Amino acid sequence: MGIAERREAGKKRMQSLILGAAMKLFLEKGFDNVSIRRIAEKIEYSPATIYLYYKDKSDILFALQAMGFEKFYTEQQAILSEKDMWKRLRKHAKVYLSFALKNPEYYDLMFIMRGPVKKMKEKKEWEIGRRSYEFLKKNVKEYMDTGYLKKTNLDVAAFAFWSLTHGIASLVIRDRCIMFPDNHLNAIIEGSLDFVMESIAKKKQ
Amino acid sequence: MGIAERREAGKKRMQSLILGAAMKLFLEKGFDNVSIRRIAEKIEYSPATIYLYYKDKSDILFALQAMGFEKFYTEQQAILSEKDMWKRLRKHAKVYLSFALKNPEYYDLMFIMRGPVKKMKEKKEWEIGRRSYEFLKKNVKEYMDTGYLKKTNLDVAAFAFWSLTHGIASLVIRDRCIMFPDNHLNAIIEGSLDFVMESIAKKKQ
DNA sequence: TTTATTTAATGAACATAGTTTAGTATATAG
DNA sequence: CTATATACTAAACTATGTTCATTAAATAAA
């Protein structure tokens, strides 16, 4: 391996060292309690060093968001094994929500936090987000084509599906469900999904 | 007016001076660019003075959140003039969304930001939030009773309605709709609402 | 091998943040 | 006229993101 490549590899190594430490800290301490300085301390480098590998903090959040989208995209592939489109529609919602609630930090980065937005907009084409949306659309199209979803504009139906699942996820993650007793919340969430899905979907029989 | 009352009135006056300045700054500069120090500067007091009237920053956010809920609650009363429950259901969603998109800062404080949560949980009964939720439930019950909404558990149906509208609002407010061209977004939102509402609701005829 | 140059890393500093404390005027009470 | 309570603030403390001049280490040139 040539010297330029080694340098490049070293750079990548350092970047993922930083990302790993950052994410670990976020999971342990929560976003509000993680600073560049703490990340630096964790990896035993000076704070200034981090700026040699990431332009600013928002750049780190953006990179972590990308990791979240990667994980999200991978886990979502599980729905494809379900060939019954009605069941897949339900599974789709379940998988979405389950990702959100099991990985609230990633979900927050992906769909709620302001931090990564600047970088998202800088990109002319924000591929990783686009890919997730295209996956959603592709499946919604199939739900529609197989007659389980009322026909309408594809973006409209996809956005409706997304809004519902995101709404649930973000209300829970951002602590807006405190009026429901903890032991009821799960049933309410499941019930809401059922309620809408079974109404939205024109269940053939 | 007795002296104790005058003091009390002065305290209230000062509190609303602070709140007013804070909100004005939030609207002008955005949440990230408003500090206690800037609020103090705006009202021409020292930063320390603010702490005589609010325990901490989160306390100020909580107070502003309450103002938001007040405004929200008031504006929502408009739906009651609609006696046709099917139309009211649609209007309800419209009014909710319209509040969110016309007052994104208030909406953020009410349903997205972490800032006010600590105080929300401290209260044994968070009346102002509870009141809004009860209003939602009361109306959802009427939609159900008049046969425009499939019968199910009340909390479930209310949460479903809320999740959908909140999902739309929060995706827009937190800039997650950048894949839609600006001039399409509105139609997609409206379309999604129509799509779900007309599916969810068992439109009598 | 010695010297010059690029690269990696950092210490110290800057600006700003939330918050606390000790202290100073000012108004009220005795 | 003194004592006490009230309203306010300057200054400090801790912590943040970020920058810059400088040093140490690795590489290239001589």
Side-chain angles (χ1 to χ4, degrees):
Chain A
M1 144 161 95
I3 153 163
E5 296 165 54
R6 177 150 60 243
R7 241 199 290 288
E8 196 51 39
K11 187 153 192 165
K12 285 240 155 60
R13 215 185 88 272
M14 192 70 180
Q15 282 179 328
S16 79
L17 183 67
I18 292 169
L19 283 195
M23 198 63 207
K24 201 175 255 175
L25 283 175
F26 284 141
L27 294 173
E28 278 172 24
K29 323 269 185 192
F31 286 110
D32 297 340
N33 303 306
V34 178
S35 59
I36 297 278
R37 290 169 137 95
R38 275 162 97 104
I39 298 171
E41 193 183 21
K42 181 111 178 171
I43 62 177
E44 299 184 282
Y45 280 86
S46 96
T49 301
I50 292 188
Y51 288 88
L52 301 177
Y53 299 94
Y54 288 100
K55 189 176 138 288
D56 54 25
K57 196 181 185 183
S58 146
D59 211 1
I60 295 177
L61 295 180
F62 181 77
L64 290 176
Q65 192 204 47
M67 287 176 54
F69 270 106
E70 205 61 60
K71 188 169 158 68
F72 181 58
Y73 188 75
T74 304
E75 290 188 12
Q76 273 196 313
Q77 303 309 308
I79 70 171
L80 299 179
S81 68
E82 184 54 71
K83 301 303 180 193
D84 177 332
M85 284 300 142
W86 164 245
K87 286 188 189 159
R88 187 190 288 185
L89 173 56
R90 289 304 327 272
K91 189 167 181 177
H92 198 154
K94 246 189 180 54
V95 165
Y96 186 105
L97 255 183
S98 145
F99 174 86
L101 301 183
K102 282 185 187 151
N103 309 278
E105 299 82 8
Y106 274 130
Y107 192 86
D108 212 311
L109 276 166
M110 292 160 68
F111 296 118
I112 310 181
M113 282 185 67
R114 281 253 151 71
V117 172
K118 214 183 107 213
K119 289 271 152 46
M120 283 160 59
K121 285 182 166 172
E122 271 172 30
K123 310 240 156 191
K124 62 267 134 221
E125 261 300 301
W126 179 49
E127 318 91 29
I128 203 157
R130 164 76 53 184
R131 186 184 59 169
S132 264
Y133 183 65
E134 292 303 330
F135 180 82
L136 168 63
K137 252 168 91 168
K138 192 193 77 185
N139 281 286
V140 165
K141 180 164 162 43
E142 289 200 57
Y143 307 146
M144 253 160 51
D145 287 346
T146 46
Y148 290 109
L149 216 53
K150 209 172 54 158
K151 295 227 184 230
T152 182
N153 173 281
L154 205 49
D155 280 315
V156 164
F159 188 65
F161 177 93
W162 185 24
S163 293
L164 175 70
T165 48
H166 169 72
I168 296 175
S170 61
L171 286 173
V172 175
I173 288 174
R174 288 300 180 103
D175 267 314
R176 259 59 179 197
C177 298
I178 56 182
M179 67 280 275
F180 305 124
D182 276 3
N183 51 329
H184 286 190
L185 184 55
N186 244 309
I188 293 176
I189 291 176
E190 293 283 325
S192 293
L193 265 189
D194 286 336
F195 178 64
V196 179
M197 288 295 150
E198 283 176 13
S199 306
I200 260 187
K202 311 260 130 169
K203 201 171 177 180
K204 273 201 278 216
Q205 52 81 12
Chain B
M1 143 161 95
I3 153 162
E5 297 164 54
R6 176 148 61 244
R7 239 200 290 289
E8 196 51 39
K11 187 152 191 164
K12 284 240 154 59
R13 215 184 87 272
M14 193 67 181
Q15 282 179 329
S16 80
L17 183 66
I18 293 169
L19 282 195
M23 197 64 205
K24 200 174 255 174
L25 283 174
F26 284 142
L27 294 173
E28 278 173 24
K29 323 269 184 192
F31 286 109
D32 296 340
N33 303 306
V34 179
S35 58
I36 298 276
R37 290 170 137 96
R38 275 162 98 105
I39 298 172
E41 193 183 22
K42 180 110 179 174
I43 61 177
E44 298 184 285
Y45 281 87
S46 94
T49 300
I50 292 189
Y51 288 88
L52 300 176
Y53 300 93
Y54 289 101
K55 191 178 138 289
D56 55 24
K57 196 181 185 183
S58 146
D59 212 1
I60 295 177
L61 295 180
F62 181 77
L64 290 175
Q65 192 205 46
M67 289 176 56
F69 269 106
E70 205 60 62
K71 189 170 159 66
F72 181 59
Y73 189 75
T74 304
E75 290 189 12
Q76 272 196 315
Q77 302 308 307
I79 70 171
L80 298 179
S81 69
E82 184 54 69
K83 301 302 180 195
D84 176 333
M85 285 299 143
W86 163 243
K87 285 188 189 158
R88 187 190 287 185
L89 173 57
R90 289 304 325 273
K91 190 168 181 175
H92 198 154
K94 248 190 178 53
V95 166
Y96 185 106
L97 255 183
S98 146
F99 174 87
L101 301 182
K102 281 184 186 150
N103 308 278
E105 298 82 8
Y106 274 130
Y107 192 85
D108 213 309
L109 276 167
M110 293 160 68
F111 297 118
I112 310 182
M113 281 184 68
R114 280 255 152 72
V117 172
K118 212 182 108 213
K119 288 271 152 44
M120 285 159 59
K121 287 183 166 173
E122 271 171 29
K123 310 240 159 194
K124 63 264 133 229
E125 261 301 299
W126 179 49
E127 319 89 29
I128 203 157
R130 163 77 54 181
R131 186 182 61 167
S132 263
Y133 184 64
E134 293 303 331
F135 180 83
L136 168 63
K137 252 168 90 168
K138 192 194 77 185
N139 281 286
V140 165
K141 178 162 162 48
E142 290 201 57
Y143 307 145
M144 252 161 50
D145 286 347
T146 47
Y148 290 109
L149 215 52
K150 208 173 53 156
K151 295 229 184 230
T152 182
N153 174 280
L154 205 50
D155 280 316
V156 164
F159 189 65
F161 178 94
W162 185 23
S163 293
L164 175 70
T165 48
H166 169 72
I168 296 174
S170 61
L171 285 173
V172 174
I173 289 174
R174 289 302 179 101
D175 266 315
R176 258 58 178 199
C177 299
I178 57 183
M179 68 280 276
F180 305 124
D182 276 2
N183 51 329
H184 286 189
L185 184 56
N186 244 308
I188 292 176
I189 291 176
E190 293 283 324
S192 294
L193 264 189
D194 286 334
F195 178 63
V196 179
M197 288 294 151
E198 284 177 13
S199 308
I200 260 187
K202 311 258 125 165
K203 201 171 177 180
K204 274 201 280 222
Q205 52 80 13

